[in-house]
């Protein structure tokens, strides 16, 4: 089940691959199903010298990204900038970065007759991703990877990038939208989630905290990733060191804290995002501590004191935000996130809300840890 099922299936994936400047013959392809938005395939080509190379073909979900051409312009700028910066820094060592392949027609994407927009990236070899982090070393690397990413894009010109999804992390607007959908109840699902709506309403005061600080000029707007879930970090398959971050469709101006919040949401939890047994959901403070250590090691040079003061809170806020978004989509009839079972969005929302209450219980200890790590000596 997916809200974006129109005309893309593995049968024609070879034809799509052949529209890009890829050397050799198509060998095979498989879908990568971990993302909730785009359709993604890993394809293998045999080059003329007999060796094989892998690529990622992706169809941009144009219901979610209303202007997919703007997404492509952003991604092109960001990948080129990162490529340049990594090459300059490593002085020739071939660091792996995400890069777009040219397509027929002179662009870096193709548009199919059904309106689908496809692009092709290099596959980041020798790496893997996690949905649930296993140890604090991986948690450190996740924090470090996104802190480094923020540093890498820090010298891009913010006005060069389009806001690909306006108000993406505007937590007030996300909250208000949920309340509108609750009132309208377009699919008659409200009775099955009144408890979850109430849990969110009890936390309404959180949604304005960072927005108010931004309005007052206390929190700076930076270029940020905006989709920092753990499976968007590629870690070295042998050493678990961060190699690069992927999923650049929402790289745009935002608050650094939104990135940190989503790392905290996806790394500190002990279960999958859609765990149905709420008693299994635990917040792991050791993971939080390692995220903060990794993130600060990469980002301390540019963070302001106000940003540091809200690091712990950002985890609770973004977990609440994602819970709000899943519940909104459930009430609207599953039109945004891909789902693979009945009530999937409701299940995901419940998991997020359980994690919010775990985060609340530990907020003091989390803040204490951040203060200790950042005390001015
Ligand atoms: C979506 O595509 P994916 O799975 O990386 C979503 C994120 C949510 C996430 C929840 C463009 O990310 O904002 O946090 O699902 N991306 C978009 O798992 O809405
Ligand atoms: Mg994404």
């Amino acid at each position: 089940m997916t809200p974006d099922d129109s005309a893309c299936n593995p049968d024609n994936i070879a034809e799509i691959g052949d529209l890009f400047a890829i050397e050799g013959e198509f060998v095979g392809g498989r879908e990568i199903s971990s993302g909730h938005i785009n359709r993604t395939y890993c394809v293998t080509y045999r080059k003329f010298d007999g060796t094989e190379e892998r690529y990622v073909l992706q169809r941009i979900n144009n219901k979610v990204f209303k202007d997919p051409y703007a997404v492509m312009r952003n991604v092109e700028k960001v990948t080129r900038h990162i490529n340049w910066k990594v090459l300059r820094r490593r002085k020739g060592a071939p660091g792996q970065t995400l890069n777009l392949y040219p397509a027929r027609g002179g662009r870096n994407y193709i548009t199919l007759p059904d309106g689908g927009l496809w692009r092709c990236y290099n596959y980041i070899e020798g790496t893997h991703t996690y949905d649930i982090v296993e140890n604090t070393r991986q948690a450190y690397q996740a924090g470090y990877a996104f802190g480094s990413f923020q540093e890498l894009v820090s010298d891009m010109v913010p006005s060069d990038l389009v806001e690909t999804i306006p108000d993406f992390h505007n937590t007030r607007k996300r909250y208000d939208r949920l309340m509108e959908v609750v009132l309208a109840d377009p699919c008659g699902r409200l009775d099955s989630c009144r408890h979850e709506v109430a849990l969110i309403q009890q936390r309404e005061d959180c949604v304005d905290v960072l927005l108010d600080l931004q309005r007052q000029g206390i929190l700076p707007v930076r270029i940020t990733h905006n989709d920092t879930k753990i499976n968007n970090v590629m870690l070295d398959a042998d050493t678990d060191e961060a190699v690069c971050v992927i999923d650049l469709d929402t790289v745009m101006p935002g608050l650094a804290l939104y990135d940190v919040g989503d790392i905290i949401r996806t790394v500190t939890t002990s279960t999958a995002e859609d765990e149905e047994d709420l008693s299994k959901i635990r917040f792991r403070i050791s993971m939080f501590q390692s995220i903060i250590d990794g993130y600060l090691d990469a980002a301390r040079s540019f963070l302001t004191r106000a940003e540091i003061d809200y690091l712990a809170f950002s985890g609770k806020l973004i977990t609440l935000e994602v819970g709000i978004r899943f519940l909104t989509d459930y009430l609207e009839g599953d039109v945004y996130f891909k789902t693979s079972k009945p009530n999937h969005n409701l299940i995901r929302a419940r998991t997020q809300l359980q994690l919010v209450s775990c985060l609340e219980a530990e907020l003091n200890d989390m803040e204490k840890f951040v203060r200790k790590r950042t005390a001015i000596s």
Side-chain angles (χ1 to χ4, degrees):
M1 279 175 278
T2 154
D4 184 45
D5 241 346
S6 39
C8 59
N9 57 63
D11 300 339
N12 63 357
I13 202 74
E15 283 165 44
I16 293 170
D18 288 350
L19 297 171
F20 289 89
I22 297 178
E23 180 191 331
E25 299 257 342
F26 178 84
V27 179
R30 66 179 166 89
E31 184 165 7
I32 299 173
S33 56
S34 61
H36 295 341
I37 306 293
N38 296 322
R39 298 293 296 259
T40 309
Y41 297 85
C42 173
V43 293
T44 305
Y45 275 69
R46 188 170 303 116
K47 296 204 278 187
F48 302 121
D49 66 5
T51 59
E52 290 188 349
E53 188 122 4
R54 294 197 282 179
Y55 303 87
V56 172
L57 288 176
Q58 201 167 42
R59 182 188 198 273
I60 300 184
N61 180 332
N62 54 0
K63 291 195 185 114
V64 166
F65 295 102
K66 308 272 188 249
D67 183 355
Y69 303 99
V71 172
M72 289 310 293
R73 285 196 296 277
N74 274 10
V75 171
E76 184 173 348
K77 285 176 190 154
V78 172
T79 52
R80 283 188 176 173
H81 176 80
I82 291 179
N83 200 337
W84 165 77
K85 212 158 164 180
V86 169
L87 282 175
R88 295 303 307 155
R89 284 196 178 154
R90 298 198 181 171
K91 303 272 181 236
Q96 289 200 80
T97 64
L98 218 47
N99 288 295
L100 292 165
Y101 278 82
R104 187 186 68 182
R107 300 184 173 149
N108 49 24
Y109 58 85
I110 51 156
T111 317
L112 294 187
D114 65 17
L117 191 151
W118 287 78
R119 64 185 165 202
C120 177
Y121 284 120
N122 50 317
Y123 187 87
I124 307 290
E125 291 293 348
T127 60
H128 57 195
T129 59
Y130 292 93
D131 287 327
I132 305 170
V133 157
E134 293 162 351
N135 57 50
T136 53
R137 185 177 152 71
Q138 295 158 358
Y140 175 95
Q141 290 297 322
Y144 190 81
F146 283 113
S148 305
F149 179 85
Q150 289 179 349
E151 193 281 325
L152 279 171
V153 292
S154 61
D155 52 345
M156 291 187 72
V157 179
S159 58
D160 271 4
L161 295 181
V162 174
E163 224 182 318
T164 51
I165 302 182
D167 296 316
F168 192 55
H169 285 298
N170 186 317
T171 40
R172 164 52 65 189
K173 289 201 173 159
R174 294 285 188 191
Y175 180 92
D176 288 350
R177 174 81 195 126
L178 173 64
M179 294 310 145
E180 275 169 36
V181 178
V182 164
L183 270 184
D185 191 17
C187 302
R189 292 180 169 182
L190 179 61
D191 277 342
S192 54
C193 63
R194 286 189 192 278
H195 176 61
E196 288 70 24
V197 172
L199 290 176
I200 291 169
Q201 283 171 320
Q202 285 158 21
R203 292 165 172 88
E204 182 180 357
D205 55 340
C206 298
V207 305
D208 294 313
V209 172
L210 298 189
L211 291 167
D212 284 348
L213 292 167
Q214 180 185 338
R215 253 177 244 121
Q216 293 160 33
I218 296 171
L219 290 176
V221 173
R222 305 181 184 281
I223 296 179
T224 48
H225 185 282
N226 292 304
D227 191 0
T228 55
K229 58 198 235 190
I230 180 62
N231 59 18
N232 281 334
V233 191
M234 310 300 292
L235 300 176
D236 186 289
D238 297 325
T239 64
D240 267 343
E241 259 171 60
V243 173
C244 81
V245 305
I246 57 169
D247 199 352
L248 307 176
D249 297 334
T250 49
V251 177
M252 56 186 167
L255 297 184
L257 289 169
Y258 297 144
D259 283 358
V260 179
D262 212 36
I263 310 170
I264 296 172
R265 175 179 79 88
T266 55
V267 171
T268 61
T269 180
S270 58
T271 70
E273 189 178 59
D274 55 359
E275 172 58 55
E276 292 188 44
D277 181 351
L278 298 188
S279 72
K280 286 192 183 153
I281 298 168
R282 303 254 182 284
F283 165 77
R284 301 176 293 179
I285 193 138
S286 60
M287 298 297 181
F288 170 78
Q289 293 169 343
S290 296
I291 294 167
I292 295 299
D293 283 341
Y295 181 69
L296 288 176
D297 280 350
R300 196 190 285 255
S301 63
F302 60 82
L303 290 180
T304 64
R305 187 70 231 177
E307 287 173 308
I308 290 171
D309 287 343
Y310 285 87
L311 286 173
F313 171 78
S314 73
K316 172 184 167 184
L317 180 70
I318 292 298
T319 310
L320 181 67
E321 181 200 294
V322 175
I324 289 173
R325 292 178 59 199
F326 284 142
L327 197 61
T328 306
D329 199 30
Y330 171 69
L331 285 167
E332 289 193 300
D334 309 314
V335 291
Y336 187 96
F337 296 104
K338 282 187 219 162
T339 54
S340 56
K341 54 182 163 184
N343 298 334
H344 206 164
N345 278 313
L346 176 59
I347 293 165
R348 290 169 174 152
R350 286 186 174 138
T351 310
Q352 303 314 300
L353 293 171
Q354 180 66 24
L355 186 60
V356 167
S357 68
C358 298
L359 283 157
E360 284 169 343
E362 307 268 350
L363 194 60
N364 275 340
D365 286 347
M366 293 161 73
E367 286 177 338
K368 224 184 271 169
F369 176 81
V370 173
R371 278 200 298 274
K372 199 175 79 193
R373 275 296 195 266
T374 56
I376 301 151
S377 48

